[in-house]
């Protein structure tokens, strides 16, 4: 990670950029690296290498949290972190680590909701919130908190139905029954 950042900083013309442009370029690169690490974590999880996967998830999520802390007004950082948290939380659900999954999925849902509230017309944000609510419903169902689970599932279903109504394509299709 650090070697890649050093490489971009040594590229011709980088030193001549103003500080905000330099930060923008390095932030985008960090984001790409973190997405790759999250992808690796997911693959490791599916291969049964859970301890390695959790280390990778934690590393990438710590990096995303740091970036969001440094740049709270950069809008794309919230949905990025939320998506990574959602994937990690879902992996923890697979492992039946419900206590560990709960704060992760709560944070993902909070960030998704904040992003959606800021731009409710953006389909990707609505879709991310619907998935996050579904994950929370799954968690509550596994915790045998059926009434809460149903509330999350119903809210998720409503958002997905709205998406499908606006654009009945494969990306928005799902069982709505």
């Amino acid at each position: 990670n650090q070697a890649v950042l050093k490489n971009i900083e040594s590229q011709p013309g980088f030193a001549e950029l103003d500080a905000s442009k330099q930060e923008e370029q390095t932030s985008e690169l960090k984001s790409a690296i973190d997405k790759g690490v999250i992808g690796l974590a997911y693959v490791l999880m599916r291969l049964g290498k859970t301890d390695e996967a959790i280390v990778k998830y934690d590393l990438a999520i710590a990096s995303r949290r740091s970036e969001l802390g440094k740049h709270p007004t950069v809008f794309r950082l919230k949905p990025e972190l939320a998506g990574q948290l959602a994937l990690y939380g879902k992996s923890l659900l697979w492992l039946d680590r419900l206590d560990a999954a709960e704060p992760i999925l709560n944070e993902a849902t909070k960030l998704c909701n904040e992003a959606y509230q800021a731009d409710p017309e953006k389909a990707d944000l609505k879709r991310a919130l619907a998935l996050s609510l579904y994950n929370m419903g799954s968690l509550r169902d596994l915790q045998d908190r059926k009434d809460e689970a149903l509330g999350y599932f119903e809210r998720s279903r409503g958002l997905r139905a709205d998406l499908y109504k606006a654009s009945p394509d494969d990306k928005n299709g799902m069982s709505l029954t």
Side-chain angles (χ1 to χ4, degrees), residues 99-116:
D99 289 342
E102 186 165 11
I104 299 294
L105 292 175
N106 276 328
E107 184 179 359
T109 303
K110 176 183 174 284
L111 290 170
C112 282
N113 193 48
E114 288 173 5
Y116 172 70

Side-chain angles (χ1 to χ4, degrees), residues 141-161:
D141 187 45
L142 290 168
Q143 292 172 326
D144 203 32
R145 294 162 66 177
K146 304 299 185 193
D147 288 341
E148 288 178 65
L150 185 58
Y152 283 114
F153 288 142
E154 286 176 351
R155 187 160 172 226
S156 174
R157 183 181 175 275
L159 290 171
R160 292 303 297 240

Side-chain angles (χ1 to χ4, degrees), residues 60-77:
I61 288 169
S63 176
R64 291 292 84 209
R65 283 183 176 137
S66 174
E67 284 297 299
L68 182 58
K70 289 180 200 172
H71 310 287
T73 61
V74 177
F75 184 75
R76 71 172 170 79
L77 296 176

Side-chain angles (χ1 to χ4, degrees), residues 7 13 22 25 29 55 62 81 90 100 105 109 112 117 135 142 152 157-158 172-173:
N7 185 24
Q22 288 180 352
Q25 283 191 5
L29 181 59
V55 169
L81 175 57
K90 189 173 181 178
L105 292 175
T109 303
C112 282
Q117 294 303 321
N135 289 339
L142 290 168
Y152 283 114
R157 183 181 175 275
N172 293 324

